[in-house]
Amino acid sequence: MKYIQLEPHGDIAVVKINRPEALNAMNVDVLAELSRTIDILAADDGIKLVIITGAGERSFCAGADIAFMVNIEPMQAEKYASSAQAVLNKIEKLEKPVIAAVNGFALGGGCELAMVCDIRIASDNAKMGQPEVTIGIPPGWGGTQRLMRIVGPAKAKEMVYTGKMITADEAAAIGLVNKVVKLGADDQLPPEAPKGDAAAEKARAAEVAKVLNKKLMAECMALAKEITKNSFTAVKMSKMLINRGMDSDIETGLRLEIYGWALCFAHEDRKNMMSAFLNKGKK
């Protein structure tokens, strides 16, 4: 595929949007390839978790392709948004956990892509937001619906109405991301550039961004391995129960939980893991 890179790491798959010249914005071709990639991962029983990120260090995904949208008519816009929502819904409903490694800009459709992932980890240089109103449209790929469910209606309205970008730390403070990855004293950074040397400063900034992005991916991979060591059946059942429960009343959600809990007793890995736990306690 031209715009999507799929990198398997054992039972973990890294999906990378590879259109850095457009800050990884998603045109119709990117959406089609992403949809096909999710189908491949859904059918692969060897993959237990997916990490989604953007190529390069500048952008996770800058959203929809404005150059494409500027001249389209309402019917074309409806088709574009429908195809985008279908892909994002497919990611949200994927049985396997999905982690968003948010490196740089996650704006508009990029923020909406991050929100359909189960867990969002951002690098310190990430910027997130729904800036659609600044170009004459509301969010159309799920932003008006998912953002309020994650951060609450008041904060969602503030972000959507103003169209402003927020920092990674601000996103963490309102619950839009789970964790922010920052560089520390122990990280191997290139030496400071000579003062006044703009070219050297730019080159150093690019190298620092690479170190930060590498640290972000390491953090996501560590979390992924922590998840995949557990029962895959129990994890995917938990994902389904949480997703269904968000839009259910508490009684319905609790009844669903009982059914999901009981169904896991039919799987051999549950009995093996319980027995191993009991045997470990006897040692």
Side-chain angles (χ1 to χ4, degrees), residues 177-193:
V177 300
N178 298 69
K179 185 175 183 178
V180 179
V181 175
K182 302 184 179 186
L183 294 174
D186 296 333
D187 292 301
Q188 299 278 334
L189 299 178
E192 293 288 340

Side-chain angles (χ1 to χ4, degrees), residues 122-190:
S123 57
D124 189 33
N125 65 346
K127 296 284 192 301
M128 303 182 74
Q130 299 289 161
E132 287 90 343
V133 295
T134 66
I135 56 169
I137 54 175
W141 294 9
T144 63
Q145 302 306 304
R146 291 191 177 95
L147 187 59
M148 69 173 177
R149 284 168 168 79
I150 294 171
V151 305
K155 181 56 70 173
K157 288 175 181 178
E158 178 188 339
M159 289 180 64
V160 171
Y161 295 174
T162 64
K164 69 177 184 179
M165 291 188 293
I166 61 173
T167 66
D169 285 334
E170 289 173 311
I174 63 175
L176 186 53
V177 300
N178 298 69
K179 185 175 183 178
V180 179
V181 175
K182 302 184 179 186
L183 294 174
D186 296 333
D187 292 301
Q188 299 278 334
L189 299 178

Side-chain angles (χ1 to χ4, degrees), residues 99-111:
I99 298 173
V102 183
N103 52 327
F105 294 113
L107 303 174
C111 188

